[in-house]
Amino acid sequence: MSTAPEPADRPDEASGVLKAMSPGVVDFLFRQLVAGEPPEDRRWQQEGTALSAQAPGAELARRLAETDLDALTPTELFNYVRAAQRLAAWAEGLRQTAVGRYCAAPHGTAPSDAASHSLGARPLA
């Protein structure tokens, strides 16, 4: 007979929703519950543009890169993922525009050759 506790009895092996949330988020949600407040931190929304309303571009990329994912509530994490998807779609649009211009370059001269000659660089042949 083994005296080792079952996995469900081990406190370090959380399951379900608690496994997906950091201790900071669990603590925040508990304090909100005790205070009778909603589970979202509404104060940060007063400090500026919410991620869900931020236009795609460099500022959104910076904010996403600087966000501590472990500190987000499930709702904030959902908004983070949606903002990242909007940013990816915007970047894909930029890529497609650039590919379209590259493919529309005059035949016989690659855009990179024309650019290097205009900068005074020698061809590598």
Side-chain angles (χ1 to χ4, degrees):
M1 288 191 136
S2 174
T3 59
E6 292 297 316
D9 297 334
R10 295 181 193 154
D12 59 333
E13 293 186 17
S15 62
V17 172
L18 292 180
K19 185 175 183 179
M21 290 191 281
S22 71
V25 171
V26 173
D27 181 56
F28 170 79
L29 292 173
F30 178 76
R31 284 184 279 119
Q32 292 292 95
L33 177 68
V34 170
E37 299 291 328
E40 294 88 18
D41 183 2
R42 301 197 183 271
R43 292 175 296 198
W44 67 270
Q45 293 175 349
Q46 298 168 355
E47 296 177 5
T49 305
L51 281 178
S52 60
Q54 181 76 49
E59 178 62 15
L60 180 59
R62 181 195 64 78
R63 291 182 63 196
L64 291 173
E66 293 177 356
T67 300
D68 179 9
L69 296 179
D70 291 333
L72 299 179
T73 65
T75 300
E76 292 166 343
L77 189 57
F78 177 80
N79 288 331
Y80 179 95
V81 170
R82 291 198 51 193
Q85 289 171 333
R86 279 196 333 276
L87 183 64
W90 174 78
E92 178 62 18
L94 293 177
R95 187 191 70 78
Q96 288 179 359
T97 299
V99 168
R101 286 190 183 179
Y102 180 83
C103 292
H107 296 290
T109 304
S112 61
D113 291 343
S116 64
H117 287 296
S118 68
L119 296 175
R122 294 185 322 196
L124 292 176

